Amino acid sequence: MICNLEKNRAVVLILFLQVYIFFFSTTHLKGQILLQLEINNEIEAVKFNIGDVLVIKTKSIDEWQKRKLEKLIIDQNLIVFEDGMVELEDIIKVKLHNNAAGAVGKLFSGFGAGWMLFGGIAHFTTKNKFTWETLAIGAVSLGIGWLFNKIVSQRTFRIGKNAHLRIIDI
């Protein structure tokens, strides 16, 4: 009888702790403020959190700026960066980088450079000669790497044309 009573107390204690943890973990959650880039004809939007880095062009500065997001103010549509703030309407372009495509581009570039380097070393140290085939393999690899780094790994969006920016509170 005592053994069953202790088991029941243990079960009740475990249930009480689960309810306690669930109740307090759900009632003290804070909202999250995000900067959302909605791209035309795409279902998923790109979300930027506090601390993320944005690459943008503004109406006042027509150069690409890489800035770290510090704070978002919903009421005034302001984005606060480390070195100042920008109104949401002042951003005209946003650039996104695809890190996987950039890595593939660097891989191809490294392979092409290595192929040509070792082909040149082999030309002077062995009987193997630096031929057009060696040059073609290295040059094509370097070209593919450059294309991946410059074209495939980055996308530019014009705000109001093919994308929209908004600050949301979840």
Side-chain angles (χ1 to χ4, degrees):
M1 180 74 180
I2 295 175
C3 187
N4 286 338
L5 185 61
E6 289 176 4
K7 286 182 183 178
N8 288 341
R9 283 184 186 170
V11 169
V12 169
L13 180 63
I14 290 172
L15 286 173
F16 175 76
L17 286 175
Q18 288 176 343
V19 169
Y20 180 80
I21 291 170
F22 175 76
F23 178 75
F24 283 106
S25 67
T26 57
T27 57
H28 295 291
L29 292 177
K30 294 184 179 179
Q32 187 175 16
I33 300 173
L34 302 171
L35 179 65
Q36 181 170 299
L37 177 67
E38 299 168 346
I39 303 165
N40 293 350
N41 301 324
E42 288 192 20
I43 296 171
E44 290 292 320
V46 180
K47 295 179 176 86
F48 299 97
N49 293 316
I50 304 299
D52 287 348
V53 175
L54 292 174
V55 181
I56 59 171
K57 272 189 183 181
T58 59
K59 291 178 183 177
S60 58
I61 303 172
D62 196 33
E63 292 180 3
W64 288 108
Q65 307 167 43
K66 193 172 187 179
R67 299 172 117 187
K68 185 178 177 185
L69 190 63
E70 290 291 321
K71 187 177 181 182
L72 298 166
I73 303 172
I74 296 176
D75 303 344
Q76 301 166 355
N77 274 342
L78 283 175
I79 303 172
V80 179
F81 296 107
E82 293 175 327
D83 57 346
M85 57 185 153
V86 174
E87 289 187 19
L88 203 59
E89 295 81 27
D90 290 343
I91 297 175
I92 57 173
K93 290 184 182 179
V94 176
K95 188 184 285 190
L96 296 179
H97 292 279
N98 182 348
N99 293 332
V104 169
K106 289 178 183 174
L107 183 71
F108 270 104
S109 297
F111 174 78
W115 187 272
M116 291 175 63
L117 174 71
F118 291 120
I121 292 171
H123 176 75
F124 292 112
T125 59
T126 64
K127 294 180 183 178
N128 297 331
K129 298 299 175 198
F130 193 85
T131 62
W132 287 105
E133 290 86 10
T134 306
L135 179 66
I137 291 171
V140 167
S141 295
L142 284 171
I144 291 172
W146 181 84
L147 284 174
F148 267 87
N149 282 330
K150 296 297 178 189
I151 296 172
V152 178
S153 69
Q154 53 190 339
R155 292 176 63 188
T156 302
F157 299 99
R158 291 182 184 188
I159 305 304
K161 302 260 182 187
N162 60 354
H164 301 283
L165 267 178
R166 74 176 56 169
I167 300 173
I168 59 172
D169 187 5
I170 298 177

